[in-house]
Amino acid sequence: MKIIRLILLILHIGIFFLLTGMLLNAYIPPKISPWFNLLSLGFPVLMIVYISLTLFWIFCWKKRAFVFIFSGLLFFNASIRWINYMPAKNDLSDLKIVSFNTKGGKTAGEQNIEKYLNSQNADVLLLQEESGNGLNFSGYTRGSIKALTAVFTKHEIVDEKLIDPDSEYIRSYGTQTDIKIRGKIYRFINVYLHPFKFEKSMVKLDGNNVQDEEKIKNIVKRLIPTFKIHQEEVAAIRKAVESSPYPVILAGDFNSVPNSYEYYHLSEDLKDAFMETGRGSATSFHDYKFPIRIDYIFSSKSIQPVRYTVDRSVRISDHFPVIATFRLQR
């Protein structure tokens, strides 16, 4: 039994250091070391094992349980970016946003997407993987820029711009749209970071050691270059946020999980609406069984999130729609 406990202790300490390494994404960009970003992908599993081992030490009445409990507090914020239980707010909202990767209508057809989004009666629709002219919403004005994203709003569009990374090799996947709402201008930044372009067969392990090892190698080979592309895209988006003379709402499909380099830097000086008001799981991509949150809505500190919902009642894309309401500063 002592040998088993020693092995579990070593495992527990190892997981602690892996989780701590994940936190370094706030400081170390992928072009210097992409390995910390890889750790963020495994956070749910690592955290579940960490908690399970902590409970084991409690059950065994070991003093080390207290060490792991207090050490685990380092990962509290990291955890509530995935699962959160904020009390419901009774504040009145005056802005509703839907961010949704429609997958170009390939899953359920454009008519079903139109029907759903029209039923939401949102002020602003921020769509990803939707650069065509297929969708049409009554009472909305569509932004004129096409970059695999689309903006629809019931309010006046004052200005719009493509967000270009500072590289001739990277295609822009983001836009900024300045919209006047009740006499005040807000900047909406709609992004779709470079996709990993995985198919299910590429990530599904089938128990064959040789084939599974080759699949894992191919996954890593695809992830690391994409992380580096994201770094340049993030820099361009941050420039659009920091140079904005207006309050900002940043939303979209980041193709990045919480606690990643992308998350830390895109959320800098902004509120994560899920952390402020979310309840339950923030998982927004449902094509795989593994919990994945890659869709977000952030806002400037002057914009107060009131409610955040991942709408799991519909499966009209491989993403769930993400809906947030806000209280605007008067």
Side-chain angles (χ1 to χ4, degrees):
M1 187 64 179
K2 287 184 178 180
I3 294 176
I4 294 175
R5 287 177 179 173
L6 178 60
I7 293 172
L8 292 177
L9 178 61
I10 293 171
L11 175 64
H12 207 169
I13 293 171
I15 290 174
F16 172 79
F17 280 110
L18 288 175
L19 288 168
T20 303
M22 177 206 66
L23 300 180
L24 294 177
N25 282 315
Y27 312 100
I28 301 176
K31 288 187 178 181
I32 293 178
S33 176
W35 304 107
F36 297 115
N37 228 17
L38 281 173
L39 290 176
S40 66
L41 296 172
F43 176 81
V45 173
L46 291 172
M47 201 64 209
I48 288 171
V49 176
Y50 185 92
I51 293 171
S52 299
L53 289 172
T54 302
L55 292 173
F56 173 78
W57 299 127
I58 294 172
F59 178 78
C60 293
W61 291 95
K62 294 294 183 181
K63 292 180 180 178
R64 68 191 65 162
F66 295 99
V67 175
F68 286 112
I69 289 171
F70 288 113
S71 299
L73 294 177
L74 285 172
F75 316 117
F76 177 75
N77 280 340
S79 298
I80 63 173
R81 292 175 187 135
W82 291 85
I83 299 177
N84 196 12
Y85 289 96
M86 292 297 292
K89 294 185 177 181
N90 296 321
D91 298 359
L92 295 176
S93 61
D94 44 20
L95 176 67
K96 183 178 182 180
I97 296 168
V98 177
S99 179
F100 184 32
N101 184 321
T102 66
K103 201 179 181 181
K106 296 176 183 177
T107 301
E110 291 181 339
Q111 288 184 341
N112 287 323
I113 291 173
E114 284 181 356
K115 181 179 178 181
Y116 171 78
L117 291 175
N118 274 317
S119 73
Q120 292 303 308
N121 193 30
D123 292 278
V124 181
L125 304 173
L126 301 173
L127 309 183
Q128 301 87 43
E129 287 199 73
E130 184 54 58
S131 60
N133 292 313
L135 295 180
N136 182 41
F137 303 101
S138 177
Y140 287 83
T141 300
R142 178 178 182 142
S144 61
I145 297 177
K146 299 176 183 178
L148 286 182
T149 61
V151 177
F152 295 84
T153 177
K154 292 182 176 181
H155 304 277
E156 178 188 355
I157 295 177
V158 176
D159 193 19
E160 51 188 337
K161 179 183 177 182
L162 192 68
I163 298 175
D164 283 316
D166 190 18
S167 172
E168 59 181 305
Y169 304 107
I170 300 176
R171 180 183 177 186
S172 175
Y173 282 48
T175 59
Q176 66 180 49
T177 307
D178 298 337
I179 301 174
K180 183 181 284 188
I181 302 173
R182 298 173 185 86
K184 188 172 181 178
I185 298 175
Y186 298 86
R187 175 161 294 177
F188 290 81
I189 298 178
N190 185 17
V191 299
Y192 173 58
L193 294 190
H194 193 84
F196 295 102
K197 298 179 180 178
F198 284 127
E199 300 292 338
K200 282 186 179 180
S201 59
M202 298 168 63
V203 299
K204 185 178 182 181
L205 304 182
D206 52 20
N208 184 308
N209 291 338
V210 176
Q211 292 182 6
D212 288 350
E213 184 179 347
E214 190 62 30
K215 283 184 178 182
I216 291 171
K217 288 180 180 178
N218 290 333
I219 289 170
V220 173
K221 286 180 182 178
R222 191 177 289 259
L223 287 171
I224 289 176
T226 304
F227 289 154
K228 295 177 180 179
I229 291 172
H230 284 181
Q231 182 179 336
E232 296 201 35
E233 292 176 328
V234 167
I237 295 164
R238 285 304 312 172
K239 186 177 180 181
V241 171
E242 292 166 4
S243 64
S244 175
Y246 316 116
V248 170
I249 289 179
L250 166 62
D253 176 0
F254 293 2
N255 277 306
S256 308
V257 296
N259 312 311
S260 62
Y261 171 86
E262 295 90 332
Y263 179 93
Y264 279 118
H265 291 268
L266 288 175
S267 65
E268 187 176 348
D269 295 324
L270 299 174
K271 293 179 178 180
D272 181 339
F274 175 73
M275 288 186 70
E276 296 284 325
T277 65
R279 295 178 62 82
S281 169
T283 294
S284 58
F285 182 78
H286 61 79
D287 216 24
Y288 305 151
K289 294 181 179 179
F290 191 82
I292 303 176
R293 180 194 181 194
I294 55 177
D295 299 277
Y296 305 86
I297 300 178
F298 300 149
S299 66
S300 292
K301 293 179 180 179
S302 62
I303 304 174
Q304 181 59 48
V306 174
R307 185 177 177 84
Y308 182 99
T309 305
V310 181
D311 191 350
R312 297 186 177 85
S313 67
V314 292
R315 288 179 177 261
I316 51 178
S317 171
D318 53 357
H319 292 243
F320 292 121
V322 175
I323 305 166
T325 58
F326 298 88
R327 179 71 174 172
L328 301 178
Q329 190 178 55
R330 296 297 183 181

